[in-house]
Amino acid sequence: MQILPDIYLLSGYAFGLHQNVYGIDIPDKKQLILIDCGLDETDRHMIKRSQVLWNLEDRKTAAVFITHSHFDHAGNAAGFEAGGSRIYAGKDSESLLSGDEHTIDFAYGKPFPVCRSVHTLYDKDRITLGANCEIICHHTPGHTPGSMCYELHHMGMKIIFTGDFIQAGENVNEVRPGIKVDIGYNYVDYLDSMRKMMRLDADAVLPGHYYPWLSNGKRLFQLGYRELLVNRERYV
């Protein structure tokens, strides 16, 4: 499903699956960059089907950027690594290497497939993907200690991939922060991270679950900050 020029939803909510996987096409390099990679073979199958549908099957998956280490977003990272992809993550990279409790493997009843090597990213790191295409990294702890949002500068737009950090709700005035499922969840950090992100002038926000938010992305972060404050008892 093409969302924006060169930006695709390859698996996820629109396909009846819970976790979103996004693909960034880099035509000048014939490469595909993934933002998160899904849970298991069901997501892998859907990613392949989507690549065929959008004539992307000749693209090499050069890199996977993981927003956080939870199984449903990073379960296929080791498989993509084995296929030659470079895996990027924030502080949660340690969990991708060890399969510790921050992968929430306890929720899935099976061990997390660990990676052999992960390139660790830090706040404000910049990664050039192709001509006029750059990712800026934002460390956004709260949902997990190492959660990252990725700001993509592409064709004059600022697109932010948020993982579970913030998601659109059932209506235009509702948002969903990430749930308290990780042992490292921290409300104070979450509030600080949301305050930081709502200062960005984003054109679109592409979350790890539910719907894309394709206009005035800054407003979604503002709604998220308000939600964390007004309904504090849900998130502390």
Side-chain angles (χ1 to χ4, degrees):
M1 176 180 176
Q2 188 171 26
I3 299 174
L4 294 164
D6 297 329
I7 310 295
Y8 297 85
L9 180 65
L10 299 176
S11 184
Y13 200 66
F15 303 93
L17 298 171
H18 185 50
Q19 50 278 337
N20 293 332
V21 177
Y22 299 98
I24 305 168
D25 184 25
I26 313 295
D28 59 309
K29 293 186 175 181
K30 288 193 175 295
Q31 292 181 349
L32 191 67
I33 308 298
L34 298 187
I35 306 294
D36 287 337
C37 54
L39 174 66
D40 55 21
E41 64 277 359
T42 303
D43 285 294
R44 292 197 299 271
H45 178 67
M46 187 58 66
I47 291 167
K48 288 180 180 178
R49 283 184 57 189
S50 294
Q51 285 185 252
V52 171
L53 178 65
W54 294 101
N55 297 315
L56 299 171
E57 63 266 38
D58 66 336
R59 301 302 201 248
K60 172 181 171 56
T61 303
V64 181
F65 286 78
I66 302 295
T67 60
H68 62 297
S69 60
H70 288 173
F71 212 134
D72 52 335
H73 296 269
N76 287 319
F80 278 102
E81 181 191 23
S85 305
R86 191 173 192 185
I87 309 301
Y88 292 87
K91 283 179 60 179
D92 282 358
S93 60
E94 300 168 7
S95 299
L96 302 183
L97 295 169
S98 67
D100 65 20
E101 59 196 341
H102 293 294
T103 65
I104 62 168
D105 57 344
F106 55 82
Y108 296 93
K110 57 184 177 181
F112 180 83
V114 298
C115 296
R116 298 181 63 183
S117 177
V118 179
H119 183 80
T120 303
L121 298 168
Y122 300 93
D123 192 48
K124 298 182 181 178
D125 277 356
R126 292 174 177 256
I127 310 294
T128 299
L129 302 178
N132 302 313
C133 191
E134 179 184 53
I135 278 183
I136 302 173
C137 304
H138 298 283
H139 181 213
T140 52
H143 179 60
T144 74
S147 287
M148 297 288 281
C149 290
Y150 299 112
E151 178 182 351
L152 175 68
H153 289 192
H154 181 62
M155 300 184 70
M157 295 181 292
K158 291 183 180 180
I159 304 158
I160 302 182
F161 301 90
T162 59
D164 284 0
F165 178 71
I166 190 70
Q167 296 142 96
E170 293 297 329
N171 61 65
V172 296
N173 293 308
E174 182 183 334
V175 294
R176 294 184 176 97
I179 62 175
K180 297 185 287 184
V181 70
D182 193 289
I183 193 172
Y185 176 94
N186 186 290
Y187 172 76
V188 174
D189 286 347
Y190 217 143
L191 201 61
D192 287 344
S193 296
M194 197 68 73
R195 186 184 297 113
K196 177 176 77 170
M197 293 302 291
M198 74 177 185
R199 297 189 182 109
L200 297 180
D201 291 321
D203 296 304
V205 175
L206 303 184
H209 302 284
Y210 308 110
Y211 309 100
W213 184 285
L214 299 179
S215 178
N216 190 11
K218 183 174 184 175
R219 181 169 179 269
L220 187 64
F221 293 115
Q222 291 171 333
L223 289 171
Y225 187 65
R226 180 183 184 277
E227 172 68 14
L228 289 173
L229 288 174
V230 171
N231 294 306
R232 183 177 184 275
E233 70 282 356
R234 297 181 187 174
Y235 305 106
V236 172

